[in-house]
Amino acid sequence: MCTRLVYLGPNDTVITARSMDWKVDLGTNLWAFPRGMERAGCAGPTSITWTSLYGSVIATAYDLCTTDGVNDAGLSANLLWLVESEYPTYDGSTPGLSIALWAQYVLDRYASVKEAVEALAAEPFTLVTASVPGEDRLATLHMSLSDAGGDSAIVEYIDGRPTIHHNRDYQVMTNSPTFDKQLAVNEYWKQINGTVMLPGTNRAADRFARASFYVDAIPKTDDARTALAATFSVIRNVSVPLGISTPDEPNISSTRWRTVVDHKRGLYFFESAMTPNTFWVDVSSIDLSEGSGVRKLDLGPNESIVYSGDSTDQFAQAEPFVFAGL
C-alpha cells in the first residue's frame, strides 16, 4: 500500500511524489492549517502539546489523520503502511502522541529533514496507535520526510523504538519489508540493467525496485514542466490499477490518489484515480499566517469532485477536524 519517491534535479529542483493505495474509500480531503495553532497529542491527559510554527497543506485519511502534506518551509511528510511496525507500550507516564497526528506534528514544528530527525531521535513523545476506522486491526505506519534541499529520512518503529534512516540517497519508500531489508533486496536489482528487466508485480519490494530505477534513470532537468511530467510518470508506473486488491497480500490495494510536491515552487499537486484532471495548491501564496483560519477543499466521496489547474482559491473556511486518539 503506497509508494513514495523523490526526484533530485539540478538547481535545487526537488520533487516528492507518493501514491495512496487502499482497499476502500479513504474519505480524503485537503486542509490548509495556519501557523499558530494550539495542538494536543490526543493521547489522554499526559498528551504532548505544541503550537504550530509552520503552516501546512495536508491530505487526510477519513478526516481523522494527517496522512500526507507539506509545510510552508518546504518540508514534506508521508505516512505509508508497514505491517512490521511495533510501537511502545503507553502507560501515560510520558507525553503521548496519537499516530493520527504524527505527520502533522512534524509539519507543524520543523523546517528541514535534519531538524526533524534530530528532534525525533530524542523521543519527545511516545507514539500511540489505535484501530483503523471500521477495521479490527491497528494502524501500523512508517513515515518518510523530504525537504527543499533534497534531504530524505525514513522513520520506522521496530521493537517499540524509532529507527531513523537519514540520507539524501534514500529517495524511495514502499511498504514491507522494513527499510533496511528493502535496501538489501534493491541491491540485487541494481546488478541487473533495468532497461532489460525489472520486477513487474504490485508487490512492495517490486515497486521499490522499479521506483528506484526509474527515478534515477529519468532525465534530470530544472525545467519545471519536464521534471514534473517525469516524476508523475514514475509514480503512475508504480501505482496499482483501480479495482485490484489481494486479500492475502495486505500491502497490495488499489491506488486511490497521488500527490506530488514541487518543493522549489511551493506547489502541492493532487491526482485522484476517479477524476480526469490533476490540480494543485500554491502553498507559497495561500495565506497560512497566524489567525488566518483553517480551510478545507472538499474532494467528495472517493475523491471524485473534479478540480483542474490552480485550485488554491477553492478552499473554504471550515472548522478543523478532530484527530483520532485515545
Side-chain angles (χ1 to χ4, degrees):
M1 302 178 200
C2 313
T3 303
R4 168 269 201 185
L5 57 92
V6 181
Y7 174 94
L8 301 174
N11 298 321
D12 298 320
T13 301
V14 179
I15 302 172
T16 298
R18 74 84 52 86
S19 59
M20 170 56 81
D21 305 347
W22 203 246
K23 61 183 179 180
V24 296
D25 179 16
L26 268 166
T28 297
N29 291 296
L30 299 190
W31 293 77
F33 290 136
R35 297 182 287 276
M37 292 190 72
E38 299 294 331
R39 306 271 199 196
C42 296
T46 57
S47 295
I48 189 171
T49 60
W50 70 94
T51 302
S52 62
L53 302 176
Y54 303 96
S56 58
V57 174
I58 64 98
T60 61
Y62 304 106
D63 271 358
L64 294 172
C65 167
T66 293
T67 192
D68 190 86
V70 62
N71 69 17
D72 54 1
L75 178 66
S76 173
N78 325 95
L79 294 185
L80 282 70
W81 195 262
L82 181 68
V83 70
E84 292 90 346
S85 300
E86 294 182 27
Y87 305 103
T89 300
Y90 182 60
D91 61 8
S93 63
T94 56
L97 177 71
S98 166
I99 199 169
L101 281 131
W102 191 19
Q104 192 62 54
Y105 176 85
V106 172
L107 294 175
D108 283 352
R109 298 295 295 173
Y110 308 116
S112 69
V113 170
K114 182 177 184 293
E115 187 181 349
V117 163
E118 289 176 351
L120 294 176
E123 298 187 55
F125 52 76
T126 298
L127 194 63
V128 183
T129 191
S131 294
V132 176
E135 299 187 40
D136 187 24
R137 60 172 176 162
L138 293 176
T140 52
L141 307 169
H142 56 170
M143 179 168 60
S144 63
L145 303 173
S146 52
D147 63 24
D151 200 5
S152 281
I154 313 297
V155 186
E156 301 179 337
Y157 273 77
I158 309 299
D159 297 326
R161 295 293 303 277
T163 299
I164 301 175
H165 305 271
H166 179 202
N167 194 304
R168 182 183 175 89
D169 294 336
Y170 295 155
Q171 293 169 251
V172 174
M173 181 173 91
T174 55
N175 313 110
S176 297
T178 55
F179 189 70
D180 57 335
K181 293 179 180 177
Q182 288 280 26
L183 293 176
V185 171
N186 197 50
E187 280 302 311
Y188 166 80
W189 288 104
K190 284 184 178 180
Q191 309 308 313
I192 302 172
N193 187 338
T195 60
V196 174
M197 184 176 67
L198 278 172
T201 80
N202 295 323
R203 295 176 62 250
D206 289 1
R207 286 184 278 115
F208 192 104
R210 290 205 307 283
S212 296
F213 173 75
Y214 283 126
V215 79
D216 184 57
I218 55 178
K220 304 302 182 292
T221 176
D222 57 2
D223 177 76
R225 177 169 294 190
T226 302
L228 280 168
T231 304
F232 263 109
S233 71
V234 177
I235 198 63
R236 289 167 180 152
N237 178 279
V238 293
S239 294
V240 182
L242 191 67
I244 297 292
S245 62
T246 308
D248 59 347
E249 290 279 355
N251 292 318
I252 299 178
S253 293
S254 299
T255 296
R256 299 280 165 177
W257 48 259
R258 289 170 285 267
T259 60
V260 173
V261 176
D262 183 332
H263 293 266
K264 187 174 183 178
R265 295 190 295 162
L267 302 177
Y268 185 59
F269 292 81
F270 191 93
E271 181 177 68
S272 170
M274 297 297 291
T275 64
N277 294 325
T278 299
F279 69 89
W280 65 87
V281 182
D282 190 339
V283 182
S284 64
S285 69
I286 193 170
D287 185 6
L288 298 174
S289 62
E290 184 171 351
S292 60
V294 172
R295 275 156 291 175
K296 174 185 178 181
L297 186 67
D298 187 358
L299 301 183
N302 288 298
E303 301 78 50
S304 58
I305 294 178
V306 176
Y307 298 95
S308 182
D310 186 350
S311 301
T312 310
D313 62 359
Q314 299 296 305
F315 279 75
Q317 293 284 338
E319 288 297 313
F321 65 87
V322 178
F323 284 91
L326 300 181

